[in-house]
Every structure is written in structure tokens, then in C-alpha cells.
Amino acid sequence: MRLRRRRRESNRLMPIKNQKDPGRGVFTRRALLFMAVQMGALGELAHKLYQLQIKDGDRYARMAASNRVSKRYLAPPRGRIVDRYGVALANNKENWRALLMPEETTDVTGTIERFSTIIPLDERDRTRIAREMRHQRRFIPVMLRDFLSWEEMARIELNAPSLPGVLIDVGTRRVYPEGELLAHLIGYVAPPNERDVARSALLALPGMRVGRAGVEQSQDEKLRGTAGSVEMEVNSVGRVMSELNRVEGVPGAEIGLTIDRGLQQKVLSRIGEQTASAVVMDCRNGEVLAMVSTPSFDPSLFDSGVSHAQWIEWTNNERTPLINKAVAGVYPPGSTFKPAVAMAGLQSGLFSPTDRVFCPGHLDVGGTRFHCWSRWGHGSVDLHQALKYSCDVYFYEMARRVGMDRIAETAHQFGLGTALDIELPHTRTGLIPTPTWRQSHHHHWNGGDTIVSGIGQGFVQVTPLQLATYTSRLATGRAVQPHLVRAMNGDIGPETTPEHWPDLGMPEKYLSALRGGMFAVVNEQHGTAPKARLSLPGITMAGKTGSAQVRRVSRALRESGHFNSANLPWEYRPHALFICFAPYDAPRYAVSVVIEHGNTGADAAAPLARDIMTDTLLRDPVNHLTPPPESVADAAAPEAETPAPDAPPADTPE
């Protein structure tokens, strides 16, 4: 039994010949599958290597380079604004600022917070930064702080490792060397708002400014220029190591104005502290040589931000320093409107220069009495005498016969109550009323409306610029348009030649009659403006006075003989106006002056216009290629002349 058991065990231990191993086939298949997977992976790797190194090698090389190269766009320098002689009126000055490149930091919020511990950011800065971060692309830098001092820049550089994406940049800020002198004309710039950026992506660049008033606004796109770019090598924390490439932006155009800065200063000094406006034009081609509106403001405050207190002070000032009164102030023209009424009457054929009207000191129409400024009247007067004495009754009667529609048509030809094509925003057109206009406002037009319009009162409103244009057209017979832009990058436009402007189409004999009446106002005995007479040898001036009431004076008060508008509070006194041109025999310059609540044109506006015209003639800017010496217009203003002893007494002289 034991022997048989041992034999069986030994038989089990002995290899069986020719018996197949079942695990051997499984091992072979697994090896082949594993080898196939390995070969596939190696193939895929080879394909990827080919894709990365051969096919897409250049693209990834550029991406790798971008990890060390930062590219940003540069705001172009804003174009300069200069006067007719090239004197800078708006210029640029270097300005250091801190920028944040959002794409160069992984924690924008943290970077801004760390920056604020080094350079404080107020609530307005934080609001602006948050707004720009929301609306701008990550590759466009965001300005953290502007107008940095050397000490602030040093602190930022010292902490650069903890401020990834923050860099110091040099830009420009707008400066106005003349300050308040030309604020209304030049205007000012301010940071763009969201609407501005939506219209032009260029405005998203740090340092870009948008014109908000004056020539800065009207010529904004020409002044902006074209953006440049700079490529810089940066390290791992975003610190600039070197500048690799720079493409400078194209500066904005240089705008050359018609303004003579020296004459502008003279006009401002003549006006002094009065609330007034004055315009000096070359009446042959419409170039505006000076345009002053007082009081004024400092335009440079808008570039860095106007404080709330300053804004409240400006807006609450009854003398409106932010408004350019020369183009946006509207006033009844008073008797300066009479030459336009006269031309309407002459062209209608209903009047001739020799027709006479009797003035007893008033005109009664339909139970209403319309007073002449002289309660004694002027007697029988023709056109020449009516202009010379500024007789209200003559022009009441002329307006009544001619009608308001004809007067409005002629006034528009002279540039009154129309939109003038000048390079300034926010200009007003004024108003020459008509029956149709009145009815469109659901009111009845009556004969009295026409009569008072005949002396520039009632609903009639014009701007000082329109008065200067009107005077220029009277003096030359040409339809000149006022303009401020004389040259673009040094190229002078065709508007400087008188032949560029068409003829008004008014008969010369009538224009001569009006000029003769205006000559008499200043130079003949009993004229209303003897104080406007020039003392320059061989040069005479023609002009017209005007006083525009701002409140109605009752008939009883007028006839009492005790009314004197000079005794009224300032805001109730009439506006004082004067228009003039000179030299009389070869008109070259036209001047309009409006003094708010100046009381009478003869006493307040006429002497001021005389002084301005004297300065203009002494400088004679249109005949100079370089600025005349400042001393040339320092001649003392002529002494005011007193009215002739036999001049008629006046209640409120024009």
C-alpha cells in the first residue's frame, strides 16, 4: 500500500511529455498588447513633438517671448493751439503717473490695495479704477494715480517687487499759459467718460483727454493724434528690465487761431472788473482777432479735477464766469439794431434816405404810447439824422410800415438771429421774432410787437458775436462769416482772403447811407457817441450806440422827469452796447461791446469800444507777420469828450 502510494505521488511530480502550458499563450498576447500601447504612445508623443517643434514652433516661440515682453499703447501728444503768430495758447507738459497692467498680475485687487498703502487713493480714484477695470481689456493699462511727485515715484520703485504689473510712466498734461485770458475761447480738457470711450477705443488709454469747451472741443478729433506703442522686457514680477521697441504716436494737429494774444490782453485790461463781452473782427474776412468774456475761469483746473466747492462757487455766481457771453449770451440789441431796420425799409421801397418823420418825443398807436428816449423829441428827421440822434420814433414808424417779416429777413442777411459758422460749441442763435414764430408759441402778434422790435427791444435777442458780424457786413458789403481757425499744421486756409466771401447783394448806395449815419453818431455835432471819437491822426470811426432795457419802465415814471436808470440796482439797469468799424474810409476792423447792466451805451460802452479800437489800430495785427511790440498799444486812451452844449437833453441817452 505504501509502495503504491509512493508510485502515485512520484508520477504526479514527473513532467508530462507533450502537454501544453495554458498560461504561455496568455503571456504572449499581453506582451503584444502592451507593446502596441507603448508604440501608440510613442507615436502620439512623436506627433506632439512634431506639432510643437515643427508645425507650431513659431507660434509657441512667440508665446514664450510674450511671457517676458510687455506691449502697451501710448497716448499721442495732443496738438498745440497757437495764436496767429505761433504763440502757444494750449500746450503739453510732462506728467509722471502710475499705471497698472492687469494682464501682468494674477491678483489685481491685492495689487491695488498694496499700492494704496504706499500712495493713498481717494474714493473718486477707486471708483474710476473700478469702472475702467470693468470696461477695458486686460492689455490696456489702467491709471492708478496721476501727477506724481518725485517722492511718490521713489516709494513706488522701492516697493516694485510687491507691486506686480505696476509701472511708472511719463505722459503729458494740458497746460494753458494764458490762464483766464483765453479760457472761453480755448476751452479745456477733461478725462473721458464711458460714452467717450464707447465712441473711440483710443480714449481708453491713460492720459487721453477730451475737449469739453471752446476750440478744444470743436477741434477735438484733429487735436487727438494717433496712438503709439512700446515693447518692454519684464522680469517674473513684472518689473521693467529694458525697453525693446518703441513706435511713437503721431501728435495731433497744431491749430493756428486768428486770435492776437496781445490784443486779447489789451481788451481784457480795458474791460477790467465789468461783466462784459467784446469782439474784435477783421471785417474784410471774418477773422476774430479778440474775443473777451468777463468774468472768466482757470481752465487748467479741469485737467486734474475741479473740486466740488469750486464748482458751486462758479455756478452760483450771478455773473456766470463759465459762460462765454460773446457767443452764448443773448441780449436785446437796442438801438444798434436800427441800421438793420433802416436797410429793410430802404430795400422795401417804402422809404428813401431823404424821407422825413416828425418826432414829438413819442408815437401813439391804438391807445398805446411808445416813447422816444428823448422826451422833448427830435423834430423832423431823415435817415441820416435819425441814426445820428438815434431817434426811436423814426424807427417805430419805419418798422410799423415795413412789417416784421421784412425786418427779420434783412436782419438774417446781416447775421443776426442766425447760426454763425464759428469753431465754438454751445453758441446761441438769438432770435429775430416774426408773427409766425409768435403764433407757433400760441400767442397773438400785434402791431406793438413790431413797433418795439424796430428799436431792438421786445423779443429781439442777439449775441455780441452776431453784432460784430453784422457790423463787418455793414462795413464791407460782404457776407463774411466769423471764424477762429486760421491754419492747420501751418497751412493757412482760404478764408483769410476777402474774395473768398460773397457779396451781400445789398445796394451800395443804401449801405453808404447807413455808414454815413453811423459816422455822424461819432463824429458830427449832436451825435449820440462823441465819447467814441478817435484821437488818432487821420483816422475816423463809425459806430452806433445802444441801451437795452431789462425791465419795463412805466409811462408815469417816464413822464415824471425824475427817472434815472443809473439809480436802479445793478441787475435792473439797462445793458450798454456799442458797435463800430474803422477806418471809416477803408474799413478793416469791427468791434462790438456789450456791458451787462452798464446803463447807457453812450457813456459806458462807447468809450470802451473807442479804447479797444485804438489798441487794435495801433497794433494793426492783420498787417503783421510777427507779434507787434507790446508797447505799441500802450498809448493812453483819448480823454472822453463831453457832449456839445446845444445837444438835446436826454432821459436815458443812448
Side-chain angles (χ1 to χ4, degrees):
M1 291 293 290
R2 291 180 180 174
L3 181 61
R4 286 197 297 269
R5 191 180 298 115
R6 288 176 183 162
R7 286 178 180 175
R8 284 196 299 269
E9 290 176 355
S10 64
N11 288 339
R12 283 198 301 268
L13 295 173
M14 290 178 62
I16 300 175
K17 291 182 179 181
N18 300 325
Q19 183 177 356
K20 292 182 179 181
D21 184 359
R24 199 169 184 177
V26 173
F27 173 78
T28 303
R29 287 194 298 272
R30 288 176 179 172
L32 290 174
L33 182 61
F34 182 71
M35 290 175 61
V37 170
Q38 285 184 320
M39 292 299 293
L42 289 172
E44 181 65 21
L45 181 61
H47 175 72
K48 289 293 183 182
L49 289 173
Y50 172 80
Q51 185 83 13
L52 290 170
Q53 297 184 19
I54 307 299
K55 189 174 181 180
D56 295 333
D58 291 341
R59 181 168 69 90
Y60 286 107
R62 289 193 299 270
M63 292 175 64
S66 68
N67 290 329
R68 67 178 182 87
V69 176
S70 172
K71 181 176 181 179
R72 56 192 175 89
Y73 293 98
L74 302 174
R78 192 170 177 86
R80 298 197 313 156
I81 302 175
V82 300
D83 82 343
R84 65 188 300 112
Y85 304 117
V87 177
L89 307 179
N91 213 338
N92 302 310
K93 186 178 180 180
E94 282 191 349
N95 165 46
W96 295 94
R97 59 200 180 190
L99 305 181
L100 171 65
M101 298 293 292
E103 66 178 357
E104 293 179 8
T105 177
T106 57
D107 184 9
V108 171
T109 302
T111 299
I112 294 174
E113 289 303 320
R114 286 191 295 274
F115 179 88
S116 67
T117 63
I118 301 167
I119 305 296
L121 298 174
D122 59 26
E123 192 59 35
R124 187 169 62 175
D125 287 329
R126 291 179 179 275
T127 302
R128 174 186 54 78
I129 293 169
R131 182 178 65 248
E132 292 180 6
M133 292 295 299
R134 286 195 306 270
H135 295 283
Q136 292 181 189
R137 298 179 181 178
R138 287 181 60 83
F139 61 82
I140 295 180
V142 173
M143 186 171 66
L144 298 178
R145 267 288 302 275
D146 211 356
F147 307 105
L148 294 173
S149 66
W150 282 105
E151 181 184 350
E152 290 172 328
M153 288 192 294
R155 291 208 302 268
I156 294 172
E157 289 292 346
L158 185 63
N159 291 274
S162 65
L163 299 173
V166 176
L167 54 93
I168 299 295
D169 178 65
V170 60
T172 59
R173 62 186 176 98
R174 203 63 161 169
V175 294
Y176 301 97
E178 303 302 331
E180 296 185 2
L181 176 64
L182 289 148
H184 293 110
L185 272 180
I186 304 302
Y188 56 87
V189 295
N193 56 35
E194 294 181 17
R195 293 190 303 274
D196 297 322
V197 174
R199 288 192 294 266
S200 173
L202 174 65
L203 296 177
L205 296 178
M208 286 299 292
R209 295 291 185 265
V210 178
R212 293 295 188 213
V215 174
E216 290 276 28
Q217 180 175 344
S218 69
Q219 306 296 306
D220 186 51
E221 292 190 4
K222 296 174 183 176
L223 290 165
R224 285 181 196 169
T226 304
S229 63
V230 60
E231 292 181 351
M232 298 173 295
E233 184 178 15
V234 296
N235 61 15
S236 59
V237 296
R239 187 169 187 175
V240 176
M241 305 303 295
S242 64
E243 184 177 301
L244 302 178
N245 185 41
R246 176 181 287 263
V247 177
E248 296 294 344
V250 179
E254 180 179 279
I255 306 293
L257 301 186
T258 60
I259 294 294
D260 174 6
R261 186 210 64 83
L263 180 60
Q264 181 87 0
Q265 180 63 64
K266 291 293 178 184
V267 175
L268 180 61
S269 64
R270 295 293 190 187
I271 292 176
E273 298 299 317
Q274 299 179 98
T275 303
S277 57
V279 178
V280 181
M281 279 178 59
D282 182 342
C283 58
R284 300 168 300 178
N285 59 16
E287 288 187 344
V288 177
L289 304 170
M291 180 186 289
V292 173
S293 174
T294 60
S296 186
F297 62 94
D298 184 358
S300 62
L301 296 178
F302 286 90
D303 193 35
S304 56
V306 175
S307 68
H308 181 70
Q310 178 65 77
W311 182 256
I312 293 298
E313 179 187 337
W314 281 337
T315 54
N316 288 344
N317 190 332
E318 64 177 350
R319 301 190 181 219
T320 59
L322 294 179
I323 294 177
N324 183 357
K325 299 175 180 64
V327 297
V330 290
Y331 309 90
S335 293
T336 63
F337 191 58
K338 289 173 180 176
V341 176
M343 179 58 78
L346 295 174
Q347 290 194 114
S348 71
L350 299 173
F351 270 83
S352 73
T354 57
D355 286 347
R356 307 185 76 84
V357 171
F358 182 77
C359 170
H362 59 267
L363 176 69
D364 293 323
V365 178
T368 302
R369 174 162 289 186
F370 299 90
H371 292 270
C372 187
W373 65 266
S374 172
R375 66 179 183 274
W376 286 275
H378 296 99
S380 179
V381 293
D382 61 12
L383 175 62
H384 184 87
Q385 294 166 322
L387 288 170
K388 173 181 171 180
Y389 303 140
S390 197
C391 176
D392 291 337
V393 170
Y394 181 94
F395 291 98
Y396 288 152
E397 183 62 26
M398 180 174 276
R400 187 179 68 82
R401 295 189 201 175
V402 173
M404 200 60 216
D405 285 323
R406 257 200 199 104
I407 293 173
E409 181 182 350
T410 303
H412 290 157
Q413 282 185 275
F414 279 126
L416 300 174
T418 63
L420 297 175
D421 188 20
I422 191 169
E423 304 89 342
L424 287 175
H426 315 306
T427 60
R428 297 180 66 180
T429 59
L431 174 67
I432 306 298
T434 62
T436 302
W437 166 83
R438 185 70 169 150
Q439 290 159 11
S440 70
H441 289 76
H442 311 293
H443 293 285
H444 176 66
W445 180 274
N446 56 53
D449 293 328
T450 300
I451 290 172
V452 296
S453 295
I455 62 165
Q457 294 280 177
F459 300 110
V460 183
Q461 290 187 326
V462 300
T463 68
L465 179 64
Q466 289 176 346
L467 288 174
T469 304
Y470 160 51
T471 309
S472 296
R473 294 182 180 185
L474 264 173
T476 64
R478 291 186 178 275
V480 297
Q481 282 280 359
H483 56 281
L484 281 169
V485 175
R486 187 170 189 261
M488 194 76 66
N489 288 326
D491 296 330
I492 297 177
E495 298 86 358
T496 58
T497 59
E499 294 74 20
H500 177 79
W501 305 102
D503 191 272
L504 272 177
M506 295 179 176
E508 180 60 30
K509 62 180 181 180
Y510 295 155
L511 288 170
S512 295
L514 299 181
R515 295 173 196 143
M518 294 173 69
F519 176 88
V521 167
V522 177
N523 301 286
E524 292 184 5
Q525 193 176 32
H526 307 324
T528 56
K531 294 181 181 180
R533 198 170 300 161
L534 297 177
S535 64
L536 299 175
I539 301 178
T540 54
M541 180 172 77
K544 185 70 193 76
T545 53
S547 297
Q549 294 178 2
V550 297
R551 61 176 301 186
R552 188 176 182 275
V553 179
S554 69
R555 176 175 177 174
L557 188 57
R558 278 187 175 276
E559 295 180 348
S560 68
H562 302 295
F563 174 70
N564 186 347
S565 57
N567 296 328
L568 295 172
W570 177 81
E571 63 272 18
Y572 295 145
R573 297 173 192 168
H575 299 312
L577 303 94
F578 194 77
I579 59 173
C580 57
F581 65 87
Y584 173 72
D585 52 354
R588 187 158 67 247
Y589 300 110
V591 172
S592 71
V593 170
V594 177
I595 303 176
E596 290 190 2
H597 310 293
N599 196 38
T600 65
D603 291 330
L608 176 58
R610 173 203 62 202
D611 294 346
I612 293 172
M613 183 64 80
T614 299
D615 290 340
T616 304
L617 290 167
L618 287 173
R619 287 184 67 84
D620 200 16
V622 301
N623 289 327
H624 286 81
L625 298 178
T626 57
E630 288 300 313
S631 60
V632 76
D634 287 340
E639 292 296 324
E641 299 182 31
T642 57
D646 55 350
D651 298 316
T652 307
E654 291 284 324

